[in-house]
Amino acid sequence: KQEVTQIPAALSVPEGENLVLNCSFTDSAIYNLQWFRQDPGKGLTSLLLIQSSQREQTSGRLNASLDKSSGRSTLYIAASQPGDSATYLCAVAGFQKLVFGTGTRLLVSP
Amino acid sequence: EAQVTQNPRYLITVTGKKLTVTCSQNMNHEYMSWYRQDPGLGLRQIYYSMNVEVTDKGDVPEGYKVSRKEKRNFPLILESPSPNQTSLYFCASSPYYLDRERNGYTFGSGTRLTVV
């Protein structure tokens, strides 16, 4: 059974810092991995999708990497801003469903 | 705009009163699914549908029903809601069969359900 773990559970940083969010998964048989952003009580916004054959994807200040063999992904956020404050979820796509981690709650202070 | 639309966004109901949460997508996606999100437990799959008339249970199907009579719609039915079904619900869709590696999931905005 696929299990997804995200570390840390919560992170508080001052504005401008570069930061890394971690995601690990137990079964490497995945189609892809998605990183989502969720604001409190809101929906899920897809940030990046990394196919299982890829090593990384970039979008603006965000860079996500994938090491399928070791079951790890990282989300790198450069020059963090208060608007980046949210919960970040990683999800691995296996047969018939996404399996989610429980998220990292990020707070960026001005 | 390509999207998954859920209704209602918020719902407060009483125990035992049947309700339906609607989900519709305009992307011609084959695959649709329902998830619930609870504090400390994350998002868990309730039901999914690979295509019209084909549905199957996810990880937490008890107390829920679904139907997929047409490709764009996938309603979630609670025949007799109970307080433990108070949660934030999300509908998702995906092209799925068209290159599983390349295609991700699109989620609706969520339905916050409270059962008293």
Side-chain angles (χ1 to χ4, degrees):
Chain A
K1 178 184 174 183
Q2 178 76 270
E3 293 182 0
V4 181
T5 303
Q6 291 186 245
I7 294 174
L11 183 62
S12 183
V13 300
E15 181 177 7
E17 273 204 9
N18 302 323
L19 56 99
V20 175
L21 308 182
N22 296 292
C23 172
S24 62
F25 48 95
T26 56
D27 186 350
S28 62
I30 64 171
Y31 292 110
N32 58 51
L33 183 148
Q34 274 184 272
W35 282 94
F36 292 90
R37 170 186 171 136
Q38 185 177 28
D39 293 290
K42 303 293 186 181
L44 304 174
T45 301
S46 182
L47 299 173
L48 288 165
L49 180 147
I50 312 176
Q51 299 175 40
S52 63
S53 56
Q54 296 176 326
R55 298 287 289 182
E56 65 178 318
Q57 280 287 335
T58 298
S59 176
R61 295 182 294 109
L62 305 179
N63 176 277
S65 68
L66 175 64
D67 184 341
K68 198 173 75 163
S69 61
S70 67
R72 294 180 182 178
S73 176
T74 61
L75 179 66
Y76 175 83
I77 303 177
S80 59
Q81 303 171 358
D84 294 330
S85 298
T87 296
Y88 291 81
L89 297 163
C90 76
V92 296
F95 183 62
Q96 297 171 345
K97 68 179 179 183
L98 280 179
V99 179
F100 283 85
T102 50
T104 293
R105 187 179 305 165
L106 173 64
L107 176 64
V108 182
S109 305
Chain B
E1 179 188 355
Q3 60 185 358
V4 177
T5 303
Q6 292 179 229
N7 280 297
R9 291 292 311 278
Y10 302 92
L11 179 60
I12 300 174
T13 190
V14 296
T15 299
K17 186 177 181 181
K18 181 179 178 179
L19 66 91
T20 299
V21 183
T22 64
C23 174
S24 180
Q25 51 91 6
N26 62 0
M27 296 166 281
N28 202 36
H29 285 173
E30 292 287 339
Y31 175 99
M32 298 184 75
S33 182
W34 278 100
Y35 290 79
R36 62 177 288 175
Q37 184 178 32
D38 302 288
L41 297 176
L43 284 107
R44 295 174 293 169
Q45 189 186 54
I46 303 170
Y47 268 95
Y48 66 92
S49 170
M50 304 291 276
N51 49 49
V52 174
E53 301 292 3
V54 179
T55 65
D56 205 349
K57 297 176 181 179
D59 297 318
V60 288
E62 295 77 20
Y64 304 96
K65 286 177 58 178
V66 292
S67 69
R68 186 93 181 272
K69 292 183 170 58
E70 49 188 342
K71 183 183 278 190
R72 64 182 292 123
N73 295 322
F74 191 45
L76 180 68
I77 303 159
L78 284 73
E79 294 269 1
S80 182
S82 62
N84 65 10
Q85 293 179 296
T86 292
S87 187
L88 181 58
Y89 291 86
F90 289 102
C91 180
S93 73
S94 171
Y96 198 68
Y97 287 113
L98 300 176
D99 192 347
R100 294 183 189 186
E101 280 198 16
R102 187 165 53 89
N103 290 300
Y105 291 67
T106 302
F107 281 78
S109 299
T111 295
R112 183 166 293 282
L113 172 66
T114 302
V115 184
V116 297

